[in-house]
Amino acid sequence: MVAFQGGAALITQEPELAHRYSSANAPRSVFGFVIDAIRVISRAIHLQLPMNSVSSTDTHTDRFCVPDSLGFFGPYGGMFVPETLMTALFEFEQVFREAMADPAFVAEYEDLLRHFVGRPSPLYYAERLSEHCGGARIYLKREDLLHTGAHKITNAIGQVLLAKRMGKTRVIAETGAGQHGVATAAAAARFGLECVIYMGRVDMRRQALNVFRMNLFGATMRPVDSGQQTLKDAVNEAMRDWVTNVRDTHYVVGSALGTHPFPLVVREFQRVIGKELRAQFAEQFGRLPDEMAACVGGGSNSIGFFHEFLDESSVRMVGVEAGGRGITEGQHAARFAGGRMGVFQGCMSYVLQDGDGQINLTHSVSAGLDYASVGPEHAYYRDRGRIEYGYATDDEVIEALKLLCRLEGILPALESTHAVAYALKRAPQMRPDQVLCVNISGRGDKDVHTVMESLGVKPEDLVECS
Ligand SMILES: Cc1ncc(COP(=O)(O)O)c(C=O)c1O
């Protein structure tokens, strides 16, 4: 296995990371061998372990110790995929590690982040929102200002570069909110690759603006009519396509979830969010934030935002999931509030499922959080108590969105607004000398129709008012 090397400035700033990433260097214990045995057995029979079998005695304290060489974050993660994909996944991991150690690749990627994506994204003081809440000062990391309107482009451009490096001529992706689809379509257009996007019919309706943007970028849309016609169904169809066309096609996974090595690859591309934030805090305040909050769908914006600070015990971190209409089966997508350990779409994680292991229906006002499982790294840090998780309901989210629009002139994506809703409750409990930083993962233009519907506003009402 090729370890990361120090030349990869953006991804591996610290030279000792080559050592850190080499799982051969990880300390082994009897406990480690037992866990490995459980992994092998669970892989073989797709075992669904009860939550109380999760061990909290894992001794890793270093954020670069996970995932291990098999793609596991403690008991979570792994590669639960059809045999036909294994070669492609091993090749992808190999190419990824080599690319990250290649200064030419890293330089091209950093150049694209700066000139195509628009990084670094600003850190913004939400002064009127902070005054309204009382308590902590609230800062917003403005990923909504990036090209195509969300953090997703940072990962999409990285994976499209890797697809090119592997000699692939076609990329596919699935998308819920449409932001990852738009980002992949834009990146594919930039490099002249064929692009096919799978999207549930329900999501296509609620994110029609993004569907049209993908069309403009030359992507072929494949509507998905199976199941709930949302993200998990689109993932199934994308997997089917990939199994059939794996020779010339790369599947650009949009979040830090699914089979290894995607949780690792996506985290590494999104880590730039936290790196920028750390530098911005150092420059502007000479200190770290006291608390950070981000929404959690699959978990990419949040793990990218948090990762740089995981070793900083003074920084509290909170991930906010979709509470939907409340924590009743089928009415939400808060995996840590109602889920338990299971295998779903390529990896072991917390999954919303019934007593027989059937995947529950989910609901959220935001398409991008409306998913039954969560990235395995989040499950790992949740069990260790390093990242805390809560949820915001649809109603709280709509109220928070209205408030941010009115007080700051910022229209956040419904996904990101979950973290804003948390901040509205949390900031008043904090001191005025403390700083709460919220990741605004995307902008809300795509959600205007959903918000109008939630508020009972019809287009003809707007004409009457003006
Ligand atoms: C703007 C925005 N934020 C957050 C998410 C959730 O994804 P993740 O948890 O991978 O950041 C999405 C997903 O589509 C999104 O569009």
Side-chain angles (χ1 to χ4, degrees):
M1 185 168 123
V2 183
F4 289 4
Q5 275 147 32
L10 180 84
I11 304 298
T12 60
Q13 278 174 340
E14 303 92 324
E16 73 273 23
L17 286 191
H19 169 82
R20 282 177 169 172
Y21 273 100
S22 170
S23 60
N25 294 321
R28 306 289 297 143
S29 64
V30 172
F31 176 76
F33 285 112
V34 171
I35 283 292
D36 277 353
I38 291 171
R39 285 173 190 151
V40 170
I41 294 164
S42 64
R43 218 185 251 195
I45 59 173
H46 284 213
L47 192 67
Q48 298 209 335
L49 300 172
M51 277 321 301
N52 58 14
S53 73
V54 176
S55 169
S56 59
T57 56
D58 187 328
T59 52
H60 292 323
T61 51
D62 187 330
R63 63 199 159 107
F64 294 105
C65 282
V66 285
D68 67 14
S69 58
L70 296 171
F72 278 92
F73 301 82
Y76 304 106
M79 300 173 88
F80 297 86
V81 289
E83 195 72 36
T84 38
L85 290 179
M86 293 306 280
T87 308
L89 289 168
F90 288 140
E91 182 203 357
F92 179 48
E93 182 180 1
Q94 174 86 4
V95 168
F96 166 70
R97 291 180 183 278
E98 284 169 4
M100 291 311 180
D102 175 357
F105 178 90
V106 173
E108 185 180 9
Y109 180 53
E110 286 183 338
D111 186 70
L112 284 161
L113 287 189
R114 192 170 178 79
H115 297 110
F116 185 69
V117 172
R119 303 208 76 98
S121 65
L123 178 64
Y124 168 80
Y125 177 35
E127 192 174 355
R128 297 216 319 130
L129 189 72
S130 303
E131 273 167 21
H132 172 87
C133 291
R137 279 176 294 152
I138 301 173
Y139 279 76
L140 309 179
K141 179 69 171 151
R142 299 290 309 276
E143 294 286 297
D144 57 312
L145 294 179
L146 299 179
H147 178 45
T148 65
H151 68 294
K152 297 283 184 188
I153 186 78
T154 305
N155 164 57
I157 203 85
Q159 284 198 48
V160 165
L161 277 183
L162 292 175
K164 244 184 35 154
R165 197 177 170 101
M166 290 185 288
K168 309 282 182 185
T169 54
R170 179 175 179 266
V171 289
I172 58 170
E174 88 312 296
T175 191
Q179 286 302 138
H180 174 59
V182 170
T184 305
R190 167 69 183 73
F191 289 102
L193 298 183
E194 185 190 344
C195 180
V196 173
I197 306 291
Y198 289 88
M199 193 168 185
R201 184 87 62 183
V202 166
D203 288 339
M204 285 179 79
R205 258 183 234 117
R206 57 180 163 173
Q207 307 284 213
L209 177 70
N210 275 344
V211 172
F212 189 59
R213 293 168 78 202
M214 288 181 254
N215 279 327
L216 286 175
F217 289 139
T220 303
M221 294 302 300
R222 295 264 165 83
V224 176
D225 290 313
S226 54
Q228 255 187 302
Q229 304 180 357
T230 59
L231 187 57
K232 81 166 165 29
D233 313 299
V235 172
N236 286 339
E237 290 306 320
M239 284 295 276
R240 258 175 222 133
D241 181 320
W242 203 30
V243 170
T244 314
N245 300 298
V246 67
R247 275 171 184 270
D248 69 346
T249 298
H250 176 62
Y251 179 4
V252 181
V253 170
S255 193
L257 83 179
T259 175
H260 179 69
F262 286 107
L264 168 69
V265 171
V266 178
R267 177 192 84 192
E268 289 300 308
F269 283 136
Q270 293 292 2
R271 271 178 59 207
V272 65
I273 307 174
K275 287 184 184 180
E276 285 174 9
L277 187 70
R278 194 176 186 118
Q280 287 162 330
F281 262 83
E283 190 189 319
Q284 293 179 34
F285 314 110
R287 53 169 286 195
L288 298 169
D290 296 286
E291 187 164 327
M292 303 168 70
C295 70
V296 186
S300 68
N301 86 89
S302 45
I303 202 67
F305 186 57
F306 293 148
H307 196 266
E308 195 64 18
F309 301 87
L310 282 167
D311 300 334
E312 303 289 354
S313 56
S314 68
V315 181
R316 186 176 182 220
M317 297 173 188
V318 180
V320 187
E321 298 186 281
R325 301 185 189 103
I327 307 302
T328 308
E329 206 173 285
Q331 299 298 320
H332 68 98
R335 290 70 43 109
F336 292 127
R340 64 193 167 83
M341 200 176 182
V343 172
F344 184 53
Q345 294 187 329
C347 72
M348 178 82 80
S349 189
Y350 276 64
V351 179
L352 291 169
Q353 57 187 304
D354 67 16
D356 297 325
Q358 298 296 323
I359 303 305
N360 282 348
L361 299 181
T362 53
H363 163 80
S364 169
V365 71
S366 63
L369 305 189
D370 196 351
Y371 186 66
S373 185
V374 61
E377 192 159 8
H378 286 279
Y380 174 72
Y381 285 117
R382 197 265 196 181
D383 283 3
R384 294 160 63 90
R386 178 61 191 100
I387 304 176
E388 296 164 59
Y389 294 84
Y391 59 84
T393 63
D394 289 353
D395 289 347
E396 289 169 335
V397 167
I398 296 290
E399 283 311 305
L401 182 137
K402 280 164 46 188
L403 203 63
L404 196 61
C405 286
R406 290 266 169 85
L407 294 180
E408 298 290 347
I410 293 171
L411 171 58
L414 282 169
E415 290 80 12
S416 328
T417 315
H418 284 69
V420 178
Y422 168 78
L424 296 180
K425 284 187 186 164
R426 176 65 182 140
Q429 301 166 351
M430 295 171 69
R431 296 190 312 271
D433 63 320
Q434 290 184 305
V435 172
L436 171 57
C437 188
V438 178
N439 197 30
I440 303 296
S441 53
R443 67 180 182 226
D445 308 43
K446 68 184 176 59
D447 296 318
V448 165
H449 290 298
T450 307
V451 176
M452 280 173 69
E453 230 170 73
S454 300
L455 297 174
V457 177
K458 297 197 180 73
E460 52 271 28
D461 300 340
L462 298 174
V463 178
E464 288 304 308
C465 291
S466 41

